[in-house]
């Protein structure tokens, strides 16, 4: 039987560098923005993340797209 993945939800997550630990490794903070349209293109999500990253006081390390799907088995 075939399984389909139906989009359930999506959020944009910015990973920001907050400083360094005692070993010199970077420390991070994440900021999440919910209610991103699941069918939005990766480029559109990246563009919004980049624009939001430019507004942050901390340095932007990564832009993440976190998507959730419901797996449905079809008969």
């Amino acid at each position: 039987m075939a399984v389909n993945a139906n989009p359930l939800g999506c959020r944009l997550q910015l990973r920001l560098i907050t400083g360094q630990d005692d070993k010199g490794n970077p420390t991070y903070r994440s900021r999440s923005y919910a209610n991103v349209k699941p069918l939005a293109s990766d480029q559109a999500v990246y563009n919004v993340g980049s624009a939001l990253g430019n507004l942050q006081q901390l340095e932007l390390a990564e832009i993440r797209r976190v998507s959730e799907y419901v797996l449905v088995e079809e008969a």
Side-chain angles (χ1 to χ4, degrees), residues 15 57 59:
R15 192 167 187 211
Q57 292 180 345
E59 181 183 349

Side-chain angles (χ1 to χ4, degrees), residues 4-72:
N4 283 340
N6 297 330
L8 180 63
C10 184
R11 72 178 190 272
L12 169 65
Q13 188 176 66
L14 302 180
R15 192 167 187 211
L16 306 165
I17 300 172
T18 59
Q20 295 182 348
D21 64 11
D22 55 348
K23 295 181 182 177
N25 299 317
T27 56
Y28 300 98
R29 170 184 288 163
S30 293
R31 299 214 174 185
S32 293
Y33 300 89
N35 299 323
V36 174
K37 291 183 179 183
L39 299 178
S41 71
D42 290 338
Q43 184 66 52
V45 174
Y46 179 85
N47 290 345
V48 170
S50 181
L52 289 172
N54 289 333
L55 298 173
Q56 305 297 313
Q57 292 180 345
L58 300 172
E59 181 183 349
L60 180 63
E62 286 182 329
I63 300 170
R64 296 180 176 182
R65 178 184 186 144
V66 182
S67 299
E68 294 181 71
Y69 294 88
V70 174
L71 299 178
V72 179

